[in-house]
Amino acid sequence: MIDQLIEIYDIAYEKIYQLGSEIDITNSLDEIAGLLLIILLLLIAGRIRKHRKNKRPAPDIADILQADLPVDAIEPIDSSGTAIEQTPDKIEKSDHIVETVSDKKPETTAPWAEKPAPEPEPIKTIPEIPAEIPAEPAGFFNRLKSGLSKTRQSLSKRFDAVLSGNRKIDDEVLEEIEEVLITSDIGVPTTMELIERISKNAGNISSTDEFKTRLKAEMLSLVDLEYPEKVSTKPRVIMVVGVNGVGKTTTIGKLAAKFTAEGKKVLLSAADTFRAAAVEQLEIWGQRAGADIVKHQDKSDPAAVAFDSIEAAIARNIDVVIVDTAGRLHTKVNLMEQLKKIKRSIEKKIPEAPHDTLLVLDATTGQNAVSQAQLFNQDINITGIVLTKLDGTAKGGIVLSICNSLNVPIRYIGIGEKIDDLQEFDPKLFIDALL
Amino acid sequence: MFDNLSDRLNTVFKKLKGHGKLTEKNIEEGLKEVRMALLEADAHYKVVKKLIGDIKARAIGQEVLASLTPAQQVIKIVNDELTALMGSQNEGLNLSGPSPASIMLVGLQGAGKTTTAGKLATLLRKQGRKPFLVPVDVYRPAAIDQLQKLAKEISTPVFPSTTEMDPVQICREAKGAASLEGCDTLILDTAGRLHVDEELMAELVNIKNTLQPSEILLVADAMTGQDAVNIAQSFDTALDIGGVVLSKMDGDARGGAALSIRAITDKPIKFIGVGEKLNELEPFHPDRVASRILGMGDMLSFIEKAQNAMDEKKAAALEKKLRKNEFTLEDFRDQMSQVRKMGSLNDLIKMIPGVAKSKQMKNFQVDERELVRIEGIINSMTPDERRNHNIINGSRRKRIAKGSGNSVQNVNKLLKNYAQVLKMMKKINKGGFMRGMGRAMMPF
């Protein structure tokens, strides 16, 4: 704890310095007292800053940010607000500073307002598939294709445009490819990696098709991961986690339907006791899917719900238990601790459970998904990913980065709100549909 | 993975000492870093491209101020551009028009509309208005239940929608019901929908035409990636939204979506959601989010929080005491309760730029119970003891420990800590002013 405090202290200290206070401490700190001191200092720093603003503006961070940059001859400087400050005790800092405390903010031009916004891809009407379609492979394939069609249209069309004719793969082309990849949320590092790998041999790539094939192969190698199936005795326990609003409960409903369709007995565990009406939501899905549910009262201990569910599942000879958990931001340490506790309580009943820990990710999420996957994985060891909401215009490209960095496979994708709109992830199909 | 932009820029600009001009050549590498930071924050590719162009145009030829490092100067320009783009100030709700006014919340599934509805109701009540919550989501299982439970929690009237009703019909009837209840503001919680779902988008247009809401807010997830532009544009084209609520800003998402949305719609971001509790909705401050997008923390919010929690007079008195080395255990205790008013210590620490990113801090947790214990110990002292800790001898320590239900060790520890704080304050007061540290240390 002391090390950590020292670190906080160092950082805080730096910031206080920035804020223009005049403090010098080199001692180490001890526990809460130290912490309080830091915050106290910051409070005072805040006060000093306020103070300064009135009396003698020093170049603290806020002032620097507020001040107009000077000596742009064309821009008139509001002379009434101009002050040249030279505070003797801080020569080294405020020397030569010309602070213009102008009320006039730079005119808020919204340069993009006039510019025709990037045209959203024309929305082609997707052939509606009747809800009661029997779950046969061709139907699944079409579904997936139509679900991914937005992604497909945009990426593929743009690729074709970029790589039309006999264009040589030069820097310009590579830059355009970079744009296509980045706008699919693939992320800067992975995009760079992909481009680097391909451009190494760019010289002997001549056709669009060849380039695409090469790119596909590279992308496929990122997401095509083995899923080590954990052999389980009855019941198989699946724990579903994720941040708020990614579609955990909906995914569980669809999963339950999938298992009951396979003739398995499913039990849902309503361990999201926090969000209002989460239990009711799961109950409705349970009825639709024909699955049992174990629930406690709102705000009760989710770990206890999970424990009871496993117990009930063993007693009722259930095949699959799916544990719903409350959405939580991966940065909230106490909530992540709660998740660990839920997992422990499951382990108490069945030591090798949960057999699957699925992280649900929203395809519209950008680079933050990487952080989500990392932190959830770090705390409760994710075994698979479910990528939801792929039926919009979001590309879900971030999974490439996640698979790449964490080596966790994608298990399912969600492509609609109907109960059978959950597909097993097929890497080839996914990449094919993507490009 | 997201390094602080200023650190990276500092490295790039090391060669450029505090003189000379920013030229096209020497700024190029720095702008690459800026571009990277913006893309990593999920700002849209095109938006970033345009921004970088503007920044470059503005930066080239500028003299590097003696007081700033080139990195600082570039950051300042970037920060200015971002802030200017996002609007220079916070814009509030538009509730004009005949009473009852309506606020319509729209967005994708899982963006946080229902929670935002509850938060808005809480906020409006604080402002003396009488909100009326209307669940219009007849599709998602238990969505109506969810809003009704939230409404009960904050004792706000809610329209008894059922899943059999038609959304437009609900809105029409709710207006009458709100007037009967004596409410002046309807908050419509519509169903989450994909922006490409023509049928459901048409339903929203219908609701809009029926109710003529004074405010239509798009609720968007702060974690949204490049698709933010498509989402925002579709909703804006269909409904001409009045503004945006950016939800889930309490995570570690950098919120570049804010830039994208603003750039594409030119509509203001009005609020940000910063927690799961119903009072955790804050006005949007463009300058702060700009620093956040650049990965520079949220110091200003921290200071504002401090200023809200601190009584100005008390702070002045405390400062005086500190200056005179008269910081007693009593002050220590008061200080502690002041700080606790600002919210959870863990959250506060995270607001200090750099802390959240550092490896050691990742799993750092302050045990809030520890604070309660310290308070208990101090409360078990006599006023004399609190004012002069030197008189606390062995038997007094024993008594204090017993009185507060602690061990003598705990009491000793507190006294030791306190002594250390005193020592430190003394050092500060001696004015060991950081001479010689110079500008190089100024990390920005």
Side-chain angles (χ1 to χ4, degrees):
Chain A
M1 186 146 172
I2 287 184
D3 283 355
Q4 290 169 324
L5 276 168
I6 293 172
E7 193 172 333
I8 299 190
Y9 177 73
D10 278 348
I11 294 163
Y13 171 58
E14 219 172 276
K15 298 300 156 188
I16 291 167
Y17 176 72
Q18 267 174 244
L19 289 164
S21 65
E22 308 169 0
I23 293 161
D24 176 59
I25 319 159
T26 45
N27 265 354
S28 64
L29 292 169
D30 197 15
E31 304 210 7
I32 301 292
L35 194 58
L36 280 171
L37 178 70
I38 291 160
I39 289 167
L40 171 90
L41 294 177
L42 287 165
L43 289 175
I44 292 170
R47 236 186 69 75
I48 290 170
R49 183 180 147 271
K50 211 171 168 189
H51 216 59
R52 284 257 164 80
K53 252 192 173 166
N54 303 335
K55 288 190 179 164
R56 35 163 206 167
D60 64 35
I61 188 167
D63 289 342
I64 290 172
L65 291 178
Q66 276 161 23
D68 281 340
L69 279 177
V71 241
D72 196 339
I74 311 152
E75 265 183 31
I77 290 168
D78 186 356
S79 62
S80 64
T82 310
I84 300 171
E85 289 292 340
Q86 288 210 350
T87 36
D89 57 336
K90 329 187 80 200
I91 296 287
E92 70 268 40
K93 280 208 287 170
S94 49
D95 218 356
H96 309 310
I97 278 228
V98 183
E99 285 214 41
T100 50
V101 191
S102 167
D103 285 339
K104 256 200 233 156
K105 296 269 177 186
E107 219 180 303
T108 316
T109 46
W112 294 281
E114 295 111 344
K115 190 197 71 173
E119 282 278 310
E121 292 300 325
I123 299 152
K124 297 258 162 68
T125 32
I126 308 152
E128 256 304 316
I129 294 152
E132 273 105 332
I133 202 166
E136 34 120 8
F140 276 150
F141 185 82
N142 282 338
R143 230 22 174 342
L144 172 62
K145 277 276 190 187
S146 72
L148 285 173
S149 62
K150 304 285 166 16
T151 311
R152 192 179 136 63
Q153 273 171 16
S154 43
L155 259 184
S156 177
K157 228 200 266 163
R158 286 161 63 191
F159 260 112
D160 289 343
V162 172
L163 298 168
S164 63
N166 282 327
R167 262 180 98 174
K168 262 180 76 185
I169 313 286
D170 53 17
D171 282 355
E172 199 188 330
V173 173
L174 287 177
E175 196 190 310
E176 284 175 62
I177 291 164
E178 179 196 271
E179 174 180 346
V180 173
L181 295 177
I182 286 178
T183 50
S184 319
D185 283 322
I186 285 174
V188 182
T190 309
T191 297
M192 296 302 177
E193 199 183 317
L194 283 170
I195 289 182
E196 193 156 304
R197 280 197 215 169
I198 295 168
S199 59
K200 259 187 207 157
N201 307 312
N204 42 30
I205 298 175
S206 50
S207 71
T208 313
D209 280 346
E210 198 183 336
F211 188 91
K212 256 194 184 173
T213 317
R214 191 74 67 85
L215 189 59
K216 265 187 197 176
E218 292 292 349
M219 288 164 85
L220 189 63
S221 73
L222 296 182
V223 291
D224 195 3
L225 302 172
E226 284 286 310
Y227 186 73
E229 197 84 28
K230 234 190 205 176
V231 194
S232 64
T233 49
K234 264 183 169 179
R236 183 176 190 85
V237 182
I238 303 173
M239 184 166 157
V240 180
V241 301
V243 300
N244 317 61
V246 288
K248 282 178 297 304
T249 310
T250 307
T251 299
I252 290 170
K254 293 174 182 172
L255 266 180
K258 183 176 126 46
F259 289 126
T260 50
E262 289 170 11
K264 289 179 178 144
K265 275 174 83 180
V266 180
L267 182 117
L268 303 180
S269 171
D272 179 357
T273 55
F274 178 79
R275 208 203 63 201
V279 177
E280 285 82 348
Q281 189 182 348
L282 192 69
E283 260 181 321
I284 295 173
W285 277 110
Q287 283 159 15
R288 287 184 189 172
D292 286 0
I293 186 167
V294 168
K295 55 172 183 177
H296 285 193
Q297 285 190 329
D298 280 2
K299 318 287 170 196
S300 58
D301 180 9
V305 181
F307 187 86
D308 286 356
S309 310
I310 309 292
E311 209 162 44
I314 294 170
R316 297 184 209 171
N317 196 27
I318 294 282
D319 296 298
V320 184
V321 183
I322 311 178
V323 183
D324 188 16
T325 62
R328 65 201 73 220
L329 289 178
H330 47 294
T331 49
K332 309 241 155 146
V333 180
N334 51 343
L335 292 180
M336 294 304 278
E337 284 300 320
Q338 183 195 60
L339 206 55
K340 286 190 205 164
K341 187 179 164 198
I342 297 174
K343 194 179 176 193
R344 282 197 302 272
S345 78
I346 296 173
E347 281 165 357
K348 246 183 238 163
K349 272 277 152 204
I350 306 174
E352 68 275 16
H355 307 89
D356 306 272
T357 306
L358 299 178
L359 172 70
V360 183
L361 292 176
D362 180 335
T364 42
T365 306
Q367 303 308 301
N368 193 250
V370 176
S371 171
Q372 292 172 23
Q374 266 167 358
L375 294 186
F376 273 102
N377 191 43
Q378 181 187 310
D379 280 347
I380 54 160
N381 200 15
I382 302 299
T383 64
I385 289 168
V386 182
L387 188 64
T388 60
K389 306 187 199 172
L390 264 178
D391 45 336
T393 46
K395 325 273 191 290
I398 192 63
V399 291
L400 298 192
S401 297
I402 293 170
C403 293
N404 191 20
S405 62
L406 290 187
N407 206 29
V408 173
I410 302 160
R411 293 302 314 280
Y412 302 101
I413 58 169
I415 50 168
E417 291 192 85
K418 290 187 222 76
I419 199 158
D420 54 350
D421 282 338
L422 184 81
Q423 306 298 326
E424 297 226 1
F425 176 74
D426 179 335
K428 280 211 183 65
L429 212 58
F430 182 77
I431 300 290
D432 271 353
L434 209 72
L435 287 187
Chain B
M1 108 183 246
F2 304 129
D3 298 329
N4 186 315
L5 176 64
S6 44
D7 291 347
R8 294 201 295 203
L9 282 179
N10 272 324
T11 323
V12 171
F13 285 122
K14 230 175 212 163
K15 291 162 257 165
L16 268 181
K17 284 270 152 61
H19 49 72
K21 280 187 175 182
L22 295 174
T23 67
E24 179 150 8
K25 218 176 144 205
N26 64 29
I27 205 175
E28 200 66 49
E29 211 177 328
L31 286 179
K32 253 189 209 159
E33 296 292 338
V34 175
R35 176 172 174 275
M36 200 85 117
L38 291 172
L39 286 175
E40 281 175 355
D42 286 325
H44 189 264
Y45 189 87
K46 289 242 168 71
V47 176
V48 173
K49 202 166 183 179
K50 174 87 171 75
L51 259 174
I52 293 292
D54 291 356
I55 291 165
K56 195 168 167 182
R58 216 182 124 187
I60 288 173
Q62 271 192 1
E63 291 195 21
V64 177
L65 292 178
S67 56
L68 298 177
T69 65
Q72 285 166 1
Q73 188 150 352
V74 170
I75 286 178
K76 184 182 149 29
I77 296 170
V78 174
N79 199 74
D80 282 355
E81 288 289 326
L82 293 191
T83 312
L85 169 60
M86 286 190 288
S88 44
Q89 61 205 357
N90 173 254
E91 288 187 46
L93 283 173
N94 172 19
L95 296 172
S96 56
S99 178
S102 314
I103 304 172
M104 185 171 163
L105 298 177
V106 300
L108 298 189
Q109 293 96 336
K113 286 174 297 302
T114 308
T115 308
T116 303
K119 288 178 176 178
L120 274 177
T122 311
L123 185 83
L124 288 172
R125 275 168 53 124
K126 241 189 235 161
Q127 294 172 356
R129 295 188 71 100
K130 294 201 172 98
F132 186 72
L133 288 164
V134 187
V136 196
D137 183 355
V138 296
Y139 308 105
R140 187 175 58 114
I144 295 175
D145 281 353
Q146 188 184 348
L147 191 64
Q148 278 170 346
K149 282 193 175 180
L150 291 180
K152 204 173 156 199
E153 215 173 285
I154 51 175
S155 343
T156 300
V158 59
F159 184 74
S161 317
T162 65
T163 47
E164 285 80 40
M165 295 168 90
D166 169 70
V168 181
Q169 177 204 349
I170 290 178
C171 295
R172 210 178 286 130
E173 287 179 17
K175 197 167 185 177
S179 303
L180 280 180
E181 289 260 8
C183 295
D184 54 16
T185 318
L186 273 77
I187 302 175
L188 310 175
D189 177 28
T190 67
R193 64 203 72 213
L194 284 173
H195 50 293
V196 290
D197 189 329
E198 287 172 45
E199 200 182 312
L200 284 179
M201 290 302 278
E203 177 196 288
L204 285 182
V205 175
N206 261 338
I207 294 176
K208 182 189 172 184
N209 293 340
T210 311
L211 226 61
Q212 300 293 339
S214 2
E215 182 75 284
I216 302 177
L217 295 175
L218 171 68
V219 183
D221 188 326
M223 298 181 275
T224 312
Q226 300 281 323
D227 206 34
V229 289
N230 296 328
I231 298 164
Q233 202 184 26
S234 306
F235 276 99
D236 194 35
T237 309
L239 297 164
D240 187 21
I241 59 170
V244 178
V245 179
L246 212 56
S247 64
K248 306 179 206 171
M249 277 292 273
D250 46 335
D252 59 350
R254 298 255 294 272
L259 272 184
S260 306
I261 293 173
R262 173 74 192 204
I264 213 79
T265 62
D266 200 24
K267 298 290 164 65
I269 293 160
K270 297 197 168 177
F271 296 99
I272 55 173
V274 292
E276 296 193 56
K277 289 192 211 87
L278 290 177
N279 58 1
E280 292 178 313
L281 187 74
E282 289 180 357
F284 173 79
H285 291 286
D287 46 343
R288 295 176 198 177
V289 175
S291 327
R292 175 164 172 164
I293 289 171
L294 294 173
M296 301 197 301
D298 201 0
M299 199 62 194
L300 291 175
S301 291
F302 179 87
I303 289 169
E304 188 175 78
K305 266 200 171 162
Q307 284 170 346
N308 282 341
M310 285 291 265
D311 180 326
E312 183 74 13
K313 265 187 209 155
K314 267 192 190 168
L318 185 65
E319 197 186 340
K320 221 179 195 174
K321 276 186 176 173
L322 285 169
R323 294 262 174 244
K324 290 187 187 162
N325 297 330
E326 287 168 0
F327 185 62
T328 66
L329 277 164
E330 214 153 32
D331 299 323
F332 189 62
R333 183 191 58 188
D334 293 347
Q335 178 56 35
M336 207 157 53
S337 70
Q338 290 270 14
V339 168
R340 285 175 67 196
K341 260 194 243 159
M342 290 169 62
S344 128
L345 278 184
N346 292 312
D347 290 349
L348 290 178
I349 293 170
K350 290 214 178 83
M351 279 185 173
I352 304 171
V355 167
K357 296 280 175 293
S358 75
K359 265 180 235 144
Q360 286 191 60
M361 299 325 309
K362 230 173 188 169
N363 294 312
F364 180 72
Q365 278 290 293
V366 178
D367 189 355
E368 308 261 340
R369 279 170 305 187
E370 182 83 3
L371 300 183
V372 179
R373 204 171 70 197
I374 292 176
E375 215 170 327
I377 295 175
I378 299 179
N379 282 338
S380 298
M381 295 175 184
T382 65
D384 278 347
E385 285 165 348
R386 278 179 225 144
R387 267 170 236 138
N388 181 9
H389 71 286
N390 290 325
I391 63 170
I392 306 179
N393 57 22
S395 70
R396 283 176 190 254
R397 279 170 205 227
K398 253 187 216 157
R399 194 204 73 242
I400 292 166
K402 259 193 190 157
S404 61
N406 276 289
S407 64
V408 178
Q409 282 94 320
N410 281 336
V411 177
N412 285 338
K413 203 158 105 189
L414 171 70
L415 289 172
K416 199 182 116 206
N417 288 341
Y418 169 67
Q420 212 165 354
V421 169
L422 276 189
K423 215 163 112 196
M424 226 167 272
M425 292 319 298
K426 228 178 236 169
K427 259 200 167 166
I428 296 170
N429 290 337
K430 266 191 205 144
F433 179 48
M434 28 186 64
R435 275 177 211 96
M437 289 183 79
R439 210 181 45 219
M441 276 296 288
M442 195 164 168
F444 211 93

